Amino acid sequence: MPDEEDLEDVPNPITYYSGRDGFRNGILTTSAPLMSVSGCNSVQWNLGTITHELSHRILSGKLEEMFQNVLHEISDSNVTHLDHYFASQPKTMGQFAERLLAMSLMIKYAEEFPKSAELNEALGDPISFMLSAKLCYSEEIEEIAVHIFDYYHFYGAQHGTYVDFIWQSWAVQPSIEQRLEHYIKRTITALAVVHFRLSDWQERAISDFESILDVEPLKTKLPFYDQAKEILETRRDVIVSYLEQMQHVIALFHFILKLEDLKKMAVDDPFKSPPHSSGASVSKRNYTATRLVFGDDTARLSRPSFRNPLLFLRDFSTDAEPSAAKSAWLLHMLSFNALNADGTSA
């Protein structure tokens, strides 16, 4: 963890709505779709999927630091072939994690060399190979790590909620259909994190995705449902192969990025699920008010108490159609009605 002095130098991102950028994380900015202003009550434009961008902000710098450490170790050890780097024993947990990241990049970049002799020659210049691998595939590796982190922590590894929300959100993006197989691979790799220690983890992850795709609302709401089903049927071996390529990213998550305390915090709100006397939690909603209420003769609005804004959004952004009135209520609640841990206004 960084020191408090270091954190003081990290600026809070500039946040804004954009009709062009949509959900996007930059070095100094984080944006959400402009349509969310008038439609965040709907699943398609809900603000809860901002957790993907938050995950980028958490992981991006960490992955970059790990990669730089890989280069330093290769250089300091005078490694003349990348195989020698992987054959050497890591001295710390950090070095072991860095090898997992380096292996992920190497496996992807090795596909660029169809002949083994060409690959072996390229591996003979480890620094150049790793720099080229990073240039070509670091963005993809980070995306996979972010999907895993988001699914496990912010969605509590609940595959039904995760697939429903992100795929209905993607359904309104016209560019998704052009890269549909890629998004299917990303999603299934994230789902695989909970099955990773099992021998058939690849098939279990694919089955999890299929089980949600084949029921409502995705079965009828997803405009490219038939295309997705065709990919799952005809390209299954390609998907399994991709999962095997990404297994070191999944292992990296389990090794240093899995935080159980964060997972509990992200999926819990004492105002939603207060404990029983036995210590168990109530699964049903238990906010002060569970829905938006407009009185016919009074300007009455329900004001639910909540501490977890992400969970609140996920529960109240389930409408099939956008509504400016409901969205305004949601944004007002997020701005003025969230509570701190001690019950005071945030």
Side-chain angles (χ1 to χ4, degrees), residues 59-71 85-86 94-108 130 133-134 137-142 145 245-253 255-257:
L59 296 185
S60 182
K62 293 177 175 60
L63 295 176
E64 176 62 29
E65 182 180 0
M66 290 172 64
F67 179 77
Q68 294 302 323
N69 289 341
V70 169
L71 297 182
Y85 166 73
F86 289 111
Q95 286 186 350
F96 184 83
E98 289 153 12
R99 278 164 171 73
L100 292 173
L101 176 63
M103 180 65 74
S104 303
L105 288 166
M106 186 196 74
I107 289 173
K108 289 298 298 181
M130 290 307 302
K134 179 179 184 292
Y137 292 104
S138 62
E139 182 177 335
E140 180 178 354
I141 297 298
E142 180 179 328
Q245 287 182 335
M246 291 295 133
Q247 63 180 305
H248 296 92
V249 183
I250 302 175
L252 175 64
F253 171 82
F255 190 60
I256 63 168
L257 299 177

Side-chain angles (χ1 to χ4, degrees), residues 107-124:
I107 289 173
K108 289 298 298 181
Y109 190 53
E111 295 179 329
E112 307 290 332
F113 302 90
K115 296 182 180 180
S116 58
E118 294 177 353
L119 175 60
N120 188 62
E121 181 180 354
L123 293 172

